[in-house]
Amino acid sequence: KNKMISWENLLRSQAESLAKYNITHVGVNPVVIEGYLFAGFNGWYKSHTPPSNDLNCMPHSIEGKPTHAYLSDKAYSDLNQLLYSLGNFEYQKAVCLTHFPPFVNNEHYAEMCANPRYLEIIKENFQVLVVGHSHQTQDFMDESLRILNAGAEYNEPRFIIVDI
């Protein structure tokens, strides 16, 4: 049976893993590498019927709000903070990374995609969008935005190498 973890313990565990493996969390610390800006935000989805693994493993509320509403509001706030911070960097191309794609991959996951308003904001500020969540390998253009997904299976690391 899944064991529910507190929000504080989840954040602490994440911070410990980032430090242990020397990982830069680009949602908190955008970085420029050889002229490419890498920045991200969680892009949480809005869902009235969250998947059972969320219901079993996540707290029912955070800071007095239902968990999914809190995370969705936080994603929008994080995106606005990220956009504000972009003026502090010099770069040639900008890459946005987010777990939840801001578009529907298929109707089964329609409730679990990020808010579609993010896609227009991302198109205005980035040239590449790297997403996860759907477990479907993708590489396509949406107007001037290239969208990539390595398409990993559950808990199976996967990567792709691309020219951007």
Side-chain angles (χ1 to χ4, degrees):
K1 183 174 177 177
N2 292 333
K3 184 177 179 183
M4 193 171 298
I5 186 169
S6 74
W7 185 245
E8 294 78 17
N9 286 342
L10 182 65
L11 292 177
R12 184 174 28 263
S13 174
Q14 180 186 53
E16 289 169 358
S17 293
L18 293 173
K20 178 178 179 180
Y21 298 106
N22 195 25
I23 297 171
T24 298
H25 189 304
V26 296
V28 177
N29 302 300
V31 296
V32 176
I33 302 170
E34 296 183 14
Y36 291 90
L37 172 80
F38 294 89
F41 77 107
N42 195 1
W44 198 263
Y45 63 94
K46 281 194 172 184
S47 176
H48 300 295
T49 56
S52 59
N53 57 330
D54 281 5
L55 289 173
N56 291 332
C57 298
M58 297 182 73
H60 298 293
S61 66
I62 300 171
E63 296 181 12
K65 290 178 86 172
T67 298
H68 290 82
Y70 171 88
L71 292 172
S72 182
D73 291 347
K74 183 176 182 328
Y76 188 67
S77 173
D78 289 350
L79 178 57
N80 284 321
Q81 288 177 359
L82 171 64
L83 295 176
Y84 181 77
S85 75
L86 294 184
N88 298 327
F89 298 92
E90 290 185 32
Y91 54 90
Q92 298 164 1
K93 283 191 175 181
V95 179
C96 180
L97 299 102
T98 185
H99 181 75
F100 294 98
F103 51 85
V104 177
N105 294 66
N106 64 49
E107 290 186 30
H108 178 72
Y109 293 106
E111 276 291 305
M112 292 180 276
C113 69
N115 191 321
R117 69 182 168 182
Y118 298 151
L119 186 57
E120 293 307 314
I121 295 169
I122 291 167
K123 283 182 191 178
E124 293 172 9
N125 296 280
F126 296 90
Q127 292 75 48
V128 179
L129 172 63
V130 179
V131 300
H133 188 66
S134 72
H135 307 280
Q136 299 171 354
T137 302
Q138 296 174 307
D139 184 351
F140 66 95
M141 295 295 296
D142 186 336
E143 298 173 11
S144 63
L145 180 70
R146 184 171 181 190
I147 299 175
L148 301 164
N149 185 339
E153 292 298 321
Y154 285 100
N155 299 316
E156 299 269 335
R158 183 160 182 203
F159 66 92
I160 55 177
I161 299 173
V162 298
D163 287 322
I164 53 174

